[in-house]
Amino acid sequence: MNHVADRVASEGLPNFQQTPSDEAIMEGMLRVRFDYAQRQTKDYSHLFRQKSRLELIRLAFYQICVEFTYAAETALASPIILSNGLSHTFMTMIWAFSPTLGFVFAPMIATLSDQTRSRWGRRRPVLLALGTAVVCGLMIMPHGKTLGLWLGDEDVPVEQMSGFRWGILLTTVGLMLTDFDIETSSGVARTYFMDMCILSDHAKVLSTAMIIGGIGGSGGYLLGAIDWQQTDLGSLMGSNEATVFAVVVLVMIIGLSLTLTSFREVPLPVLEKDPLLRPITQGMFEAEKARQLAIYSVSPKVPVDVVKKPDGSVPVEMDDNVQEGEMTFANFFRNLRHMPRSLMILYLTQFLAQFGYLSYCMYFTDFVGSAVFGGDVAAPVGSPELALYEEGVRFGCWGMALFTISAALYSTIIGKLIKYFGGRTIFIGGLLVNSVGMLAMALFTERWMVFVCCPGVGIAYATMYAVPFLAISQYHAKNSFAMKDGQYVESSQRRGFGADVSMLSSMLFLSQLIIALSIGSVIDAFESTTVVIFTASLFSFLAAISASQVLYMEL
């Protein structure tokens, strides 16, 4: 065997004196695939190497577009709709259209992105279509009222508007295009981010997306905080809303282009034919581990990552599934019917947390404009009440910018905090901080309170997009959804990781749907938007109680 050891040393290959580690096995599998992908007509080697921080930023740049759009939409969409003469009740019903579509069709679009057979890849064509729809919605929404006037709507004050108006229809179409497609594209984009990265880079690319997304959200809210009508650009565009949305369209086009051109995808037909270009699944890794351990048991000094077949080819464990845990519409509802108790509690917690967050997010600028500043969106043009309301909306944008900045900053340290304090403490604590902050803001409607309490929302936001997803990762890594006598109970039910993550994300659609259908009537009944902030506080507190029952395993 000495000639084997000499060859190992001369080639710089590992000489295993002990059983090969999981890390060494994975490194060998990636090296084989990297070399193979590099030799193809089109170079796909980037799929099997670590990415630099700059590469991850370019890959995840679309997240800036997502948060930029969210910011403009949440800050200005409600005032735009109300300016068309609708009450809060009808406005919230309009907000219900997009989450209804999302809850039903988002899993189907996710399935489409798994099965697209374009030469451009699977995710990018779908992401391009969704991004284009978002741009169209952004261009329509702020101009719906003006387009309505061109189509025959009467140019009358808000309080005199009645009956069918083209402006309402066009604004609603713009809102639906923007809201549905931006939320759906966010999920497709995150899948594309992870497709382009090796497993060890997944946490890094998601945290990168969260950080730069916070920058984008802050920029979006800050744009809404500026009185553009006092500038030449604002005068040219005609209104604050039109100016902000024009900038968002520009950012959207740039960001979408950077992400779509960052890394090449392997087309699905190629993936189906060539196993060495497929992502390494858990099944493939376990099979390779068993093969290498079998070889090691025969000859411990042979570097198992370079053992070849007699014909010189590298043995590859075949996997019939291109992507493990592929999401289908049927599987989505099958998993709903057969759900472990631990997942039910986790989904309930996420639903309550999203309900509290969205109650704040969807109506915050309206709350600041009316309750904090004492303005009135229905007041005549040029009146002091309308001027106060618009000033309050801009002031609220500063508060929401602070929320996104705090979310981005907190996301840089939340991983370390979870390791030190544990997932349970961080999750419950983040939700309670938000609950107390919202309660204080509702009780003391002062301008300074906006800046004191908004960072708490950022802490809760970063927490609800970290701990629940890490918990699901723990469940699937251990194939266990329950513990008994301190031991993990192995699950006999086969559940897709993608399906469970998709259902967790769908709690956003469900909570938005219920808010949209109900809270407008509550606002009209109480004749105050302060009730929205009380609602945010209540549901964040209920989420904290539910979080105390979540199964965290080793988090």
Side-chain angles (χ1 to χ4, degrees):
M1 296 295 295
N2 288 337
H3 65 284
V4 174
D6 292 341
R7 181 173 67 84
V8 169
S10 65
E11 294 182 8
L13 297 172
N15 186 1
F16 294 113
Q17 300 298 325
Q18 301 178 351
T19 304
S21 66
D22 289 355
E23 292 78 8
I25 294 172
M26 178 62 75
E27 182 181 349
M29 295 178 72
L30 288 172
R31 184 163 60 250
V32 167
R33 284 160 174 78
F34 177 87
D35 293 339
Y36 177 80
Q38 206 169 32
R39 295 194 300 269
Q40 303 308 299
T41 305
K42 292 184 177 180
D43 187 357
Y44 297 113
S45 60
H46 55 269
L47 298 171
F48 305 105
R49 64 170 175 82
Q50 287 188 321
K51 307 291 191 296
S52 68
R53 181 64 72 176
L54 285 177
E55 287 178 320
L56 292 178
I57 290 174
R58 179 176 179 180
L59 173 62
F61 205 88
Y62 183 72
Q63 197 62 32
I64 287 184
C65 306
V66 171
E67 298 298 336
F68 220 91
T69 303
Y70 278 152
E73 182 186 39
T74 55
L76 300 176
S78 291
I80 290 173
I81 296 171
L82 292 172
S83 68
N84 279 276
L86 290 179
S87 67
H88 283 89
T89 300
F90 283 103
M91 179 186 70
T92 52
M93 292 177 65
I94 289 175
W95 275 110
F97 293 154
S98 295
T100 302
L101 292 174
F103 191 73
V104 174
F105 291 108
M108 298 177 66
I109 293 176
T111 301
L112 177 63
S113 76
D114 283 334
Q115 301 173 354
T116 301
R117 305 183 69 83
S118 168
R119 289 182 296 177
W120 211 37
R122 294 183 292 168
R123 316 295 179 194
R124 292 191 295 174
V126 177
L127 187 56
L128 175 61
L130 292 171
T132 302
V134 172
V135 170
C136 292
L138 290 169
M139 294 175 68
I140 293 172
M141 196 188 333
H143 301 290
K145 187 175 180 180
T146 301
L147 292 173
L149 294 175
W150 290 354
L151 293 174
D153 287 349
E154 291 185 84
D155 188 7
V156 295
V158 172
E159 65 272 10
Q160 297 180 20
M161 294 179 181
S162 61
F164 172 79
R165 293 182 61 85
W166 285 105
I168 294 174
L169 176 61
L170 292 171
T171 302
T172 302
V173 170
L175 176 62
M176 288 177 60
L177 280 173
T178 303
D179 197 39
F180 168 75
D181 289 298
I182 198 65
E183 290 181 356
T184 305
S185 69
S186 178
V188 175
R190 288 178 185 272
T191 306
Y192 173 61
F193 301 162
M194 290 187 284
D195 281 351
M196 295 299 101
C197 294
I198 61 176
L199 185 62
S200 60
D201 271 350
H202 282 187
K204 188 185 295 185
V205 72
L206 291 177
S207 65
T208 300
M210 187 71 180
I211 293 169
I212 65 176
I215 296 172
S218 302
Y221 289 123
L222 290 175
L223 278 176
I226 298 173
D227 187 359
W228 290 99
Q229 289 184 316
Q230 303 301 317
T231 66
D232 293 337
L233 179 60
S235 300
L236 177 66
M237 297 302 299
S239 68
N240 283 322
E241 292 82 3
T243 306
V244 171
F245 277 84
V247 176
V248 176
V249 166
L250 180 62
V251 172
M252 186 76 189
I253 293 173
I254 294 173
L256 182 63
S257 301
L258 285 174
T259 291
L260 292 179
T261 58
S262 58
F263 292 107
R264 181 186 296 117
E265 282 189 275
V266 183
L268 182 57
V270 177
L271 282 177
E272 292 173 340
K273 295 177 182 178
D274 197 336
L276 275 176
L277 292 179
R278 299 177 189 174
I280 300 174
T281 65
Q282 185 65 26
M284 296 166 71
F285 173 78
E286 293 298 336
E288 177 67 10
K289 181 178 180 180
R291 184 186 73 84
Q292 294 200 14
L293 290 177
I295 295 173
Y296 173 83
S297 66
V298 176
S299 180
K301 291 187 178 182
V302 175
V304 293
D305 58 303
V306 295
V307 174
K308 301 180 183 296
K309 295 180 180 179
D311 62 1
S313 63
V314 179
V316 178
E317 179 61 29
M318 298 297 292
D319 190 337
D320 292 333
N321 296 317
V322 174
Q323 183 171 353
E324 195 173 37
E326 187 173 295
M327 178 66 179
T328 66
F329 194 62
N331 286 339
F332 182 81
F333 286 99
R334 188 179 301 119
N335 284 335
L336 281 178
R337 292 196 302 270
H338 305 286
M339 187 180 298
R341 181 175 181 273
S342 58
L343 281 179
M344 292 180 64
I345 294 174
L346 185 64
Y347 292 154
L348 174 63
T349 305
Q350 187 74 347
F351 164 74
L352 294 171
Q354 290 284 8
F355 201 104
Y357 161 70
L358 288 175
S359 297
Y360 154 86
C361 193
M362 291 172 63
Y363 300 100
F364 181 68
T365 54
D366 186 39
F367 159 76
V368 176
S370 57
V372 177
F373 276 70
D376 184 3
V377 68
V381 175
S383 65
E385 292 80 6
L386 182 60
L388 278 174
Y389 180 85
E390 292 176 344
E391 183 184 356
V393 168
R394 292 192 296 271
F395 190 86
C397 288
W398 286 103
M400 298 194 82
L402 184 60
F403 135 64
T404 56
I405 292 172
S406 64
L409 293 176
Y410 190 68
S411 65
T412 64
I413 62 171
I414 191 170
K416 295 179 180 179
L417 293 177
I418 290 173
K419 289 182 180 179
Y420 189 80
F421 294 104
R424 181 187 302 274
T425 301
I426 296 302
F427 198 16
I428 296 174
L431 293 169
L432 287 178
V433 166
N434 185 44
S435 178
V436 172
M438 291 296 98
L439 180 61
M441 192 186 302
L443 292 175
F444 307 101
T445 54
E446 302 291 339
R447 301 185 184 187
W448 60 269
M449 188 61 73
V450 171
F451 290 104
V452 171
C453 299
C454 279
V457 186
I459 292 173
Y461 183 79
T463 302
M464 72 175 71
Y465 277 95
V467 177
F469 291 93
L470 291 175
I472 287 186
S473 178
Q474 288 280 322
Y475 299 161
H476 282 265
K478 295 173 173 55
N479 191 30
S480 175
F481 297 87
M483 294 187 70
K484 185 176 182 181
D485 300 327
Q487 300 295 320
Y488 302 126
V489 179
E490 186 173 356
S491 175
S492 59
Q493 181 185 14
R494 186 174 183 179
R495 299 184 64 88
F497 178 68
D500 286 340
V501 170
S502 177
M503 282 188 283
L504 185 66
S505 299
S506 292
M507 295 302 105
L508 172 68
F509 288 119
L510 184 59
S511 57
Q512 184 179 346
L513 175 60
I514 295 175
I515 289 173
L517 290 175
S518 61
I519 206 164
S521 300
V522 175
I523 293 174
D524 287 341
F526 282 87
E527 298 182 348
S528 173
T529 52
T530 305
V531 68
V532 175
I533 308 302
F534 278 116
T535 301
S537 175
L538 173 62
F539 276 86
S540 292
F541 180 72
L542 293 176
I545 295 175
S546 180
S548 67
Q549 303 302 310
V550 168
L551 177 63
Y552 293 91
M553 290 193 170
E554 295 180 2
L555 275 183

